[in-house]
Structures are given as structure tokens and as C-alpha cells.
Amino acid sequence: MHPAPPLSVQIAPRGPLTGDVTLPGDKSISHRALMFASLAVGRSTITGLLEGEDVLATAAAMRAMGATIERGDDGTWRVDGVGVGGLLQPAGALDMGNSGTSTRLLMGLVASHAIHATFAGDASLSGRPMGRVIEPLAAMGADITASPGGRLPLMVRGLVPAVPIEYTLPVASAQVKSAVLLAGLNTPGITRVIEPVPTRDHSERMLAGFGARIEVEETAAGRVIAVHGEAELQPQTIAVPGDPSSAAFWLVAASIVPGSHVTIRNACMNPTRTGLIAALRLMDADIAETNARSVGGEPVADLVVRHAPLTAIEVPPDLAPSMIDEYPALFVAAAMAEGVTVARGAHELRVKESDRIATMAAALSAAGVTLTEHYDGLSITGSGGAPMTGGVQIASKLDHRIAMAMAVAGLVATDAIGIDDARPVATSYPAFFTTLDALAPPRD
């Protein structure tokens, strides 16, 4: 098949954003719900699943390894699992598309099963290094053959029984942590991951909900997460909350477009995911939480955000792990604040779908923003609310979050900002542009 042609879009100011937003399901939780349900014995049901391309790649991979996964007409997904240790040999390569989460977590699953799997992906994913996952999984006994630079395509040959390890994360990465924990599910003994800096804890929360024996301890060395192997997972009914990474674009857009007043429904408020809200509040954003509740073990709330003049800050580096995917949106907010915002401590942005530091620096600079690029972030001189110049076409580098962040920037530019290819938005937020049109219809 030939790839679809690029989808170029032009975003110009439209006036205030007003109304309610129904968020797509959280991407991180959606991936894990499908994987863990596929490892349970019996039928699980999932509502609110994100039906973006990345999550669908996970569903296809789990089907290829034996799980029965079906979507009902009512949008409910039903998963009949094969049990821990029951994954079947896939008939062909697993196509991960653009999904780094699918790739890294599924590598962990395969590593402790008596199967082998080849992982392939699109051009963007194939450029992302997998060495940080290969190292611990190889220590557990998996035989991994990768392309030069530890990249895709690569093959994982699992080992049964695998070897339990105690592994300290060299960088803050929920994906690496989760890959090791998932390998530990089918490994005799106890597998431990030590994270000096806390990362997203969806895997620990959900595995415990499925019946795995998970222990979390705070120590001087950091948070220690232990999983007891040869686990037996029980089927569950899962309601996926709204994705805070998708909420980020509306939080920023409503904050910077005068007259805006937006209510964001059902946002996941897991404390490992709310760094952007904390940063925006430090910048004097007007964000209120209402209807706080718990859904499937995750804290959830509705967010009400109104336009407010933003003030530049030095972003606390310890917020980075809890907002790593939201930095592109934060950079746009910084461009409209009063003063110089310094956002550093985000080295991980260099190895996302694109080099998000360099890509956002180039895009914002082209749109008229004054900034300085650092190895671990940006310093951005804000306009104090004055429109950025715009009138340019920027390169998304096949990165969904770059495309959406610069679409938000187009709402506060003198002239329209063009995005060379918005197709990748479908990987995480297929309804993004439809939602934008509903909140702020385009002007004639």
C-alpha cells in the first residue's frame, strides 16, 4: 500500500473558544487495558477506549498473539484473554505504526514468553532508539536483534523461564518501567524496578486491579515497584478516563485566546499526569476542578478553564516526568506569556516522535517567537498576549503533538499558520480538528 498523501491544514484566529469538550480516552491507560485484559483468563469489557491508530496497533498485536478482541456497536470493547504465559506465536511481523508505547510494552510481554516476534513501524517510529528497553530485557534473558542504533525493525525471542532482575531506571521512563514489569509477570520470583524519579503509575494501578501482586515502596534510592511472577490476572470491567495529554491543547488554547471559557469533561487527574496544570497555574492560568471522583482506580475531574493573562515562570524541572508529552503545548503558552519562560529538564523530548525541542523551536521561531534552544528545553520570550506573526508553513515532523500545538498557536497569530502534515493527529486524537471547529467555528 502507498502511504496517504500529506494532509496540510491552515489555522487562523477564530475568536473565543466556548463550550464543552469530551476528551478521547487516555492513551496510556487504553494501551494497558487491552494488554492486561489479553493476559487475563476470561472476558474483560472496556468502555471509553481511545480508538486512535496507536491503540488500534496494540489491539491488532494482541489479536495476533491469541487474544480475541472485538468492538461492539455501542463502543464497548470485549477482550477474551489467553492468560499470563499463554501468548501464541504471531504469524507475521507486528506493525506498531507510530506507537512507541505499544512497541516498548509489547517487547516486555514477549521477552518472558516462549515465542518470538518481529516489531516494525513507520518511518518516525523506526528512527526512535529502543536500547533503553533492550538492556533490561536482555538481562532477563530475552534474545533481541535490532537494526543499527537499537532501532526497528527488531526481533525479540522470549526466554521461559526468564530471569527476575532488580533494575534501576537510568532515565525517567514509564515505558521502560512497564516493559520490565510486564516481563516480570511471567517470570518466576520477584522482579523489581527502582525509579529515582517517579513516573506515570498506570501500570502498577491497573495490574493490581487485575489481581497481580504488586508492591510499591518509597526508599532512599527512589520508588521500588515489585511484581511477583507467574501471575494470574482476573478479567475486569474498565472505564477509561479522558486523556490529560489531549486536554493540554484546550487548557492552553482557552488560556491564551481572549474571551474563552471551556469545560473539559472526564479528565484523568492522576498526580503523575497533572504537571501541565501545575505549570499553567504557576503562570496564573484560570483552571478550576469540579466534580472530582474516582473511575476505575484513577482520580477524575471536570476542568473549567477561562482566558487569563499569563506570566512567565521558570518551570520546575521536577514537573517534567508528569508533563513530558505536554511540553509542546506549554511552549505555545509560554510564547503568549509576559516575560521569559524557562522550561528545562526535559531531555526526553529529544527522543519522542520527533525531536520535540528542535521541532518546536523551529516552528515557533518561524511564527515570530523569540527563543533560545537548550539541550534539555527552551527559553521563550513571551509576547504578553500580543499575537505571534504567523504567516508560515511549519513542519510537523510526523509528530501528532507538534501538529496540535501549532494548530493552537494559529489561533493567536496575525496570519494563519500552516501545518505541512496533520495526518499523525489521528494516532492520539482523531476528533481534534472537529472539536476545534465546535469550540471556535472558522471565520468566513
Side-chain angles (χ1 to χ4, degrees):
M1 293 180 61
H2 296 289
L7 175 64
S8 177
V9 298
Q10 298 277 326
I11 303 295
R14 306 171 171 212
L17 286 78
T18 57
D20 285 17
V21 173
T22 300
L23 291 172
D26 183 83
K27 186 152 71 84
S28 296
I29 295 174
S30 293
H31 281 302
R32 289 159 174 81
L34 287 171
M35 291 181 195
F36 302 168
S38 296
L39 293 174
V41 177
R43 172 168 290 185
S44 296
T45 59
I46 307 170
T47 56
L49 190 85
L50 170 64
E51 297 181 3
E53 293 173 357
D54 282 10
V55 174
L56 297 181
T58 290
M62 298 314 300
R63 287 191 189 103
M65 291 188 286
T68 300
I69 303 176
E70 298 176 344
R71 182 191 187 278
D73 292 339
D74 61 354
T76 298
W77 289 70
R78 296 170 179 84
V79 182
D80 292 302
V82 297
V84 173
L87 294 181
L88 302 180
Q89 174 62 44
L94 303 178
D95 183 358
M96 299 289 95
N98 189 240
S99 181
T101 302
S102 303
T103 304
R104 294 186 174 108
L105 270 60
L106 291 175
M107 285 173 64
L109 283 183
V110 172
S112 61
H113 282 74
I115 61 175
H116 62 270
T118 297
F119 293 84
D122 66 11
S124 173
L125 182 60
S126 297
R128 299 173 66 180
M130 297 292 159
R132 62 179 57 177
V133 184
I134 292 172
E135 178 187 349
L137 296 182
M140 298 181 76
D143 180 8
I144 303 176
T145 304
S147 297
R151 290 174 165 81
L152 270 57
L154 60 76
M155 176 181 283
V156 180
R157 291 184 180 273
L159 177 68
V160 176
V163 180
I165 62 172
E166 182 175 288
Y167 186 70
T168 299
L169 294 178
V171 294
S173 172
Q175 292 179 359
V176 177
K177 171 179 66 175
S178 297
V180 176
L181 294 176
L182 295 189
L185 286 176
N186 198 42
T187 299
I190 302 174
T191 297
R192 292 181 175 87
V193 178
I194 302 169
E195 49 177 14
V197 178
T199 66
R200 298 180 183 185
D201 63 357
H202 302 305
S203 291
E204 300 94 297
R205 287 174 182 256
M206 190 176 289
L207 281 173
F210 271 89
R213 187 175 170 190
I214 298 283
E215 296 161 352
V216 180
E217 181 184 4
E218 301 290 346
T219 73
R223 179 178 292 168
V224 180
I225 305 99
V227 59
H228 291 248
E230 300 175 301
E232 295 184 8
L233 303 189
Q234 305 301 315
Q236 300 295 314
T237 299
I238 301 168
V240 180
D243 195 329
S245 296
S246 296
F249 304 104
W250 311 126
L251 289 169
V252 170
S255 293
I256 64 178
V257 177
S260 295
H261 181 179
V262 172
T263 299
I264 302 168
R265 303 289 182 188
N266 199 41
C268 179
M269 297 298 288
N270 182 306
T272 65
R273 300 291 302 281
T274 55
L276 177 70
I277 294 173
L280 289 175
R281 283 175 170 160
L282 290 173
M283 298 173 75
D284 298 325
D286 184 352
I287 302 171
E289 297 172 32
T290 64
N291 195 20
R293 57 205 184 276
S294 178
V295 176
E298 294 280 354
V300 170
D302 300 334
L303 300 173
V304 180
V305 55
R306 297 174 176 84
H307 169 258
L310 300 183
T311 304
I313 62 168
E314 184 166 333
V315 181
D318 60 3
L319 287 180
S322 61
M323 60 180 287
I324 197 66
D325 284 334
E326 290 75 71
Y327 271 91
L330 176 72
F331 292 154
V332 175
M336 298 299 292
E338 179 69 45
V340 178
T341 295
V342 180
R344 304 193 62 170
H347 321 72
E348 189 73 5
L349 295 179
R350 294 286 187 187
V351 291
K352 288 290 187 177
E353 284 83 337
S354 69
D355 177 339
R356 287 180 175 163
I357 295 173
T359 305
M360 282 301 295
L364 288 173
S365 293
V369 178
T370 299
L371 55 82
T372 301
E373 180 177 339
H374 309 289
Y375 73 95
D376 61 347
L378 298 176
S379 294
I380 298 174
T381 301
S383 68
M388 59 184 77
T389 306
V392 294
Q393 175 111 329
I394 65 95
S396 69
K397 300 291 186 179
L398 297 176
D399 191 324
H400 55 131
R401 301 205 192 279
I402 301 296
M404 289 185 278
M406 292 310 296
V408 171
L411 300 175
V412 288
T414 301
D415 294 312
I417 291 178
I419 300 161
D420 67 341
D421 193 351
R423 288 174 303 163
V425 168
T427 65
S428 67
Y429 202 160
F432 174 79
F433 288 105
T434 303
T435 302
L436 175 58
D437 288 346
L439 292 174
R443 292 170 173 167
D444 294 335

